[in-house]
Amino acid sequence: MSNAAAALNQITITLPDGSARTYPSGTTGLAIADSIAKSLAKAAIAIEINGEIRDLSRAVEEHANIRIFKREDAPALEMIRHDCAHVLAEAVQELFPGTQVTIGPSIENGFYYDFARNEPFTLEDLPKIEAKMKEIIGRGAAFEREVWDREQAIEYFTKKGEMYKAELIRDLPGTETITVYRQGDWLDLCRGPHMPTTKHIGTAFKLMKVAGAYWRGDSSRAMLTRIYGTAWRSEEELQAYLTQIEEAEKRDHRKLGREMDLFHLQDEAQGSVFWHPKGYSIWLALEGYVRRRLNTAGYVEVKTPQLMDSRFWEASGHWSKYRENMFVVPDVVPNTEEGQKIFKEEPKHFMALKPMNCPAHVQVFKQGIKSYRDLPIRMAEFGCCHRNEAHGALHGLMRVRQFTQDDAHIFCREDQIASESLAFCELLRTMYTDLGFTNVKVKLATRPENRVGTEESWDFAENALRQALDAAGLDYEDAPGDGAFYGPKLEFHIQDAIGRSWTCGTLQLDPNLPERLDATYIGEDGARHRPLMLHRAILGSIERFIGILIENYAGKLPLWLAPTQCVVSTITSEADGYAQEIYNELLAAGLRVELDVRNEKINYKIREHSLAKVPVMFIVGKREAEEGKVAIRRMDSQEQPVEARDSAIAAIIAQSQPPY
RNA sequence: GCCGUUGUAGCUCAGGGGUAGAGCAACGCAUUCGUAAUGCGUGGGUCGGAGGUUCAAAUCCUCUCAACGGCACCA
């Protein structure tokens, strides 16, 4: 072989530090690691070739920048979890022959695998499966990658009775390389990559729960059993995660709502909230804040009907596109006779509780003639909406059937879209900052299958929102198909205590409703024009937002939102009169204040109000009464500074002011 | 809506064919006690609902409702 020919078969491998080495083409990642250091080869779990993570066992055939990953490197967690999903599937098929495997990805904090089995798995099966997984990991079989022929792969899985896998392969694009990964006697269709052996997974994993999940996320298809697990590098990481979950559960707004006496839900009104005085005081404080912000931002506030005729909803498009979510009420006089049908006659006319405020706002807009000079009109309403949500969707305050939106619709001209959208994004950012949220995810939800309007109108609307996002400098991701039936939307997501993400703020561009409901304004040219409509909310639903607030603050709301801002507690009954005076003064200043003159020890009172998460306690005994002072105890502080009565009162009044 | 789990006192939970339990809370009495639980006493439940099996059901069976965890759907 000539030197030149030999050189042709050499590849240059560049390491992260910039140094380059030459290897024969076809050298495996493991061999490269081994040539760098024996210890590296031992610790290696994967190799990155020009940005793509691959199995160590794969041959490298091109010049490449590489990186060898070890278990402590960032990509390892995902691989541990993915490998763990494979082991879970093998364990299940060993223990429960006849179970079909489907898909099993790694996810945040862990992994899952969906199985098809006539009898769904139950919680009792998990310990058994977990033991089997440990056994499989103990065997330490190597993950072996094989490239298969497409047709043969389909035939193989079909013969084996793995109909779901066969379907998956059939649906893969023809260009895709079909690979399977073997671990001992078991194999799975998989794109990879995997770590060298099952032993590399370690034992810091735990099966968490079983759940139903539809095949390919489609509710018209088979219901599979999903097993969720969590997996980590080490026992310590696993324990830390489990502890973190326990801590998060303590912040659950449903638990805190009961403990703090904020609200309750009951069977007879499922999905609708009974707000208790303390919970409603949060609502009022929040609503007042939003109202002030909106006023300053040039909004006007309206109030529109709860019940409207079905003809109205036909015109808006809700009757055909949204009816399954609407509460429909027959417009008939009910029968009051004992034991008779509820209605004397078959109802012919129907009313519906509003699921949205927009069509009603268009009606307000349409009263009188609007000039282009009137635009934009920013019409706000704390609108109470009803949506008949599926039973399984209901979730505390986060997902309810009756909720109040901090809703508004901006009627504007096309040339105002950009500035209005930008102003909205900025207002939202200001308010979220005031309310303590900085970690907000933005999504652009584009046209869904079930929609009204022309393709052109959707193109226009989607582009307009994209431009607004760019102008506001907001990072976002696309959510294809997630738009409302009338237009695309921006969604502002905030996470709750258990990591679930909820849409709060939203901005939706709607070129369709003004058309359907025939809203017009007179343009500069004297002719009629269609206004465009921006649907927008910042909190989204007040219910949901309060739920999020409770969880994010773990119930310890900032002073301006706290249900009880201050409790004046006495140490002995000799201070009762003095305490009463202070209480009266705070009450007159508009504070939410309580007086605790019960015949209890001060320890008892402090404990109780601490558990109730009252931010400030004014504690007065004989000494304070005589000296005209108060001892101040703040939440989560053991300190008890004593201050002059007047300055203490002035300070708490100042501190309890809303941010706007 | 679908799959799984759960439902016993206001709350947290024990009990699993033979007279319904605990702690906290509530109520009563005593205690005036300086920064996270004062002591003693009292009351409180058709065991989610409806049927069934049994001499006997909170307990076993069937149906149903709701909540919880996911999925689907969504502010």
Side-chain angles (χ1 to χ4, degrees):
Chain A
M1 197 190 285
S2 70
N3 284 344
L8 277 180
N9 290 325
Q10 295 290 312
I11 52 171
T12 304
I13 296 298
T14 310
L15 303 181
D17 66 3
S19 65
R21 293 164 177 243
T22 310
Y23 295 90
S25 173
T27 304
T28 66
L30 187 62
I32 294 174
D34 192 65
S35 75
I36 298 169
K38 294 269 180 236
S39 59
L40 180 61
K42 213 171 165 196
I45 55 156
I47 181 169
E48 188 182 68
I49 311 282
N50 293 331
E52 182 198 350
I53 300 178
R54 288 197 200 160
D55 308 307
L56 279 174
S57 59
R58 278 181 73 179
V60 183
E61 279 154 353
E62 68 266 47
H63 300 297
N65 293 307
I66 69 144
R67 250 186 97 178
I68 309 276
F69 288 121
K70 297 191 280 190
R71 221 162 172 280
E72 54 268 30
D73 293 318
L77 258 187
E78 204 185 318
M79 296 187 77
I80 288 170
R81 288 165 184 165
H82 184 192
D83 289 9
C84 214
H86 277 238
V87 170
L88 165 61
E90 180 180 355
V92 163
Q93 290 202 313
E94 262 188 49
L95 290 169
F96 306 94
T99 305
Q100 292 187 63
V101 291
T102 68
I103 55 160
S106 71
I107 52 173
E108 195 179 3
N109 301 324
F111 59 93
Y112 68 77
Y113 210 112
D114 285 349
F115 300 100
R117 183 172 178 240
N118 291 339
E119 190 145 332
F121 296 106
T122 69
L123 244 31
E124 282 94 73
D125 297 323
L126 296 187
K128 250 183 298 175
I129 299 171
E130 222 172 81
K132 178 60 81 179
M133 287 172 72
K134 296 218 157 115
E135 185 190 321
I136 292 166
I137 289 171
R139 288 180 209 152
F143 283 103
E144 296 171 72
R145 179 176 185 271
E146 296 174 12
V147 176
W148 282 20
D149 171 73
R150 183 191 189 88
E151 291 312 315
Q152 279 174 0
I154 294 174
E155 197 191 322
Y156 173 86
F157 283 108
T158 308
K159 255 194 193 150
K160 214 175 152 195
E162 297 282 4
M163 308 320 287
Y164 294 91
K165 283 290 179 194
E167 183 183 327
L168 281 174
I169 302 169
R170 220 172 284 128
D171 291 352
L172 283 174
T175 51
E176 189 97 2
T177 310
I178 310 293
T179 55
V180 301
Y181 277 79
R182 240 179 237 286
Q183 59 202 58
D185 299 330
W186 191 84
L187 62 78
D188 194 3
L189 170 76
C190 182
R191 201 171 276 139
H194 285 279
M195 297 189 292
T197 75
T198 57
K199 208 159 218 154
H200 286 75
I201 296 168
T203 53
F205 69 89
K206 185 173 162 55
L207 298 183
M208 303 294 283
K209 53 197 174 191
V210 292
Y214 297 108
W215 169 233
R216 302 204 141 174
D218 182 342
S219 60
S220 66
R221 305 178 81 162
M223 171 65 61
L224 310 171
T225 309
R226 175 172 296 180
I227 298 180
Y228 281 96
T230 185
W232 301 84
R233 291 187 183 86
S234 65
E235 211 55 47
E236 294 76 59
E237 278 186 12
L238 172 63
Q239 274 314 317
Y241 173 67
L242 297 175
T243 310
Q244 183 200 321
I245 292 179
E246 275 174 41
E247 288 304 310
E249 280 166 3
K250 291 181 193 159
R251 305 163 74 106
D252 191 308
H253 75 280
R254 293 165 297 185
K255 184 177 159 68
L256 289 171
R258 188 169 49 240
E259 287 172 5
M260 296 172 69
D261 193 18
L262 303 178
F263 63 88
H264 84 270
L265 295 154
Q266 66 186 51
D267 288 6
E268 292 81 356
Q270 39 176 299
S272 298
V273 184
F274 291 80
W275 287 99
H276 297 191
K278 287 187 174 169
Y280 196 53
S281 76
I282 303 174
W283 179 303
L284 290 173
L286 194 58
E287 190 183 87
Y289 164 79
V290 174
R291 182 171 280 125
R292 289 187 293 275
R293 280 280 183 205
L294 291 185
N295 278 338
T296 317
Y299 287 74
V300 290
E301 189 173 336
V302 299
K303 200 76 180 171
T304 60
Q306 213 62 48
L307 255 185
M308 283 177 273
D309 197 284
S310 62
R311 278 166 299 175
F312 178 79
W313 300 110
E314 280 165 31
S316 71
H318 287 79
W319 202 247
S320 61
K321 300 285 179 188
Y322 205 74
R323 196 170 59 207
E324 64 171 336
N325 291 304
M326 290 165 68
F327 286 101
V328 174
V329 184
D331 188 11
V332 178
V333 179
N335 204 339
T336 52
E337 286 166 44
E338 203 66 38
Q340 296 299 305
K341 286 195 294 184
I342 299 170
F343 299 111
K344 284 181 184 161
E345 48 193 301
E346 192 60 29
K348 290 192 190 64
H349 290 99
F350 295 93
M351 312 277 282
L353 288 169
K354 68 173 167 186
M356 298 181 192
N357 306 301
C358 30
H361 288 188
V362 175
Q363 306 313 307
V364 178
F365 178 88
K366 282 173 68 179
Q367 298 302 301
I369 293 177
K370 297 291 181 294
S371 148
Y372 71 96
R373 290 199 189 90
D374 295 327
L375 303 183
I377 291 173
R378 307 184 190 90
M379 194 183 292
E381 175 172 4
F382 290 96
C384 177
C385 297
H386 288 80
R387 296 184 189 173
N388 197 349
E389 303 287 353
H391 287 80
L394 301 178
H395 181 91
L397 293 180
M398 305 298 196
R399 193 74 185 274
V400 289
R401 286 182 166 163
Q402 178 193 308
F403 57 98
T404 299
Q405 297 177 309
D406 63 325
D407 204 5
H409 294 92
I410 302 173
F411 296 89
C412 62
R413 306 185 305 261
E414 205 173 303
D415 61 286
Q416 293 169 324
I417 293 266
S419 60
E420 287 302 314
S421 301
L422 183 58
F424 169 77
C425 289
E426 276 163 3
L427 179 62
L428 179 136
R429 190 154 30 190
T430 304
M431 288 173 62
Y432 278 19
T433 304
D434 280 349
L435 293 162
F437 298 103
T438 45
N439 192 7
V440 180
K441 270 211 195 101
V442 188
K443 287 188 185 167
L444 172 60
T446 53
R447 69 195 78 182
E449 272 178 39
N450 189 20
R451 61 176 182 258
V452 297
T454 62
E455 292 310 291
E456 292 73 40
S457 71
W458 280 90
D459 288 341
F460 170 79
E462 287 173 8
N463 279 330
L465 288 184
R466 241 176 246 289
Q467 282 162 20
L469 282 171
D470 291 338
L474 289 169
D475 286 333
Y476 66 97
E477 44 187 82
D478 275 36
D482 280 355
F485 71 83
Y486 47 76
K489 56 184 175 184
L490 297 185
E491 295 176 348
F492 297 84
H493 291 255
I494 306 181
Q495 280 200 349
D496 68 11
I498 23 183
R500 279 187 271 223
S501 180
W502 298 95
T503 304
C504 291
T506 176
L507 173 66
Q508 312 179 7
L509 209 170
D510 182 359
N512 292 302
L513 200 60
E515 174 81 33
R516 290 189 73 97
L517 297 179
D518 193 27
T520 58
Y521 67 90
I522 309 298
E524 217 169 342
D525 55 3
R528 287 176 178 276
H529 295 271
R530 288 272 174 240
L532 284 157
M533 219 174 150
L534 288 169
H535 307 241
R536 43 107 294 160
I538 288 181
L539 308 187
S541 122
I542 297 188
E543 283 83 354
R544 175 177 292 180
F545 203 86
I546 291 177
I548 299 249
L549 272 176
I550 292 168
E551 301 204 350
N552 274 272
Y553 284 109
K556 297 173 181 176
L557 293 166
L559 196 49
W560 71 279
L561 283 171
T564 300
Q565 296 169 307
C566 180
V567 176
V568 183
S569 292
T570 51
I571 294 170
T572 105
S573 57
E574 288 178 87
D576 284 3
Y578 180 66
Q580 178 80 50
E581 284 174 27
I582 294 173
Y583 166 81
N584 289 347
E585 220 171 306
L586 292 172
L587 194 64
L591 251 74
R592 296 184 291 276
V593 57
E594 287 171 25
L595 177 65
D596 187 354
V597 291
R598 290 175 302 170
N599 177 14
E600 294 290 350
K601 288 190 168 180
I602 194 60
N603 282 322
Y604 181 86
K605 295 185 183 180
I606 286 172
R607 178 180 156 77
E608 214 172 57
H609 300 133
S610 298
L611 291 174
K613 303 181 188 352
V614 175
V616 182
M617 282 178 246
F618 279 5
I619 295 175
V620 294
K622 200 174 164 190
R623 211 155 60 215
E624 285 76 12
E626 280 165 359
E627 296 171 4
K629 292 186 171 168
V630 294
I632 302 164
R633 182 171 169 131
R634 288 177 188 274
M635 187 156 45
D636 290 335
S637 167
Q638 313 296 330
E639 288 173 37
Q640 32 187 301
V642 178
E643 267 189 46
R645 164 185 171 164
D646 290 348
S647 67
I649 289 173
I652 192 174
I653 290 171
Q655 289 158 14
S656 63
Q657 293 310 304
Y660 192 80

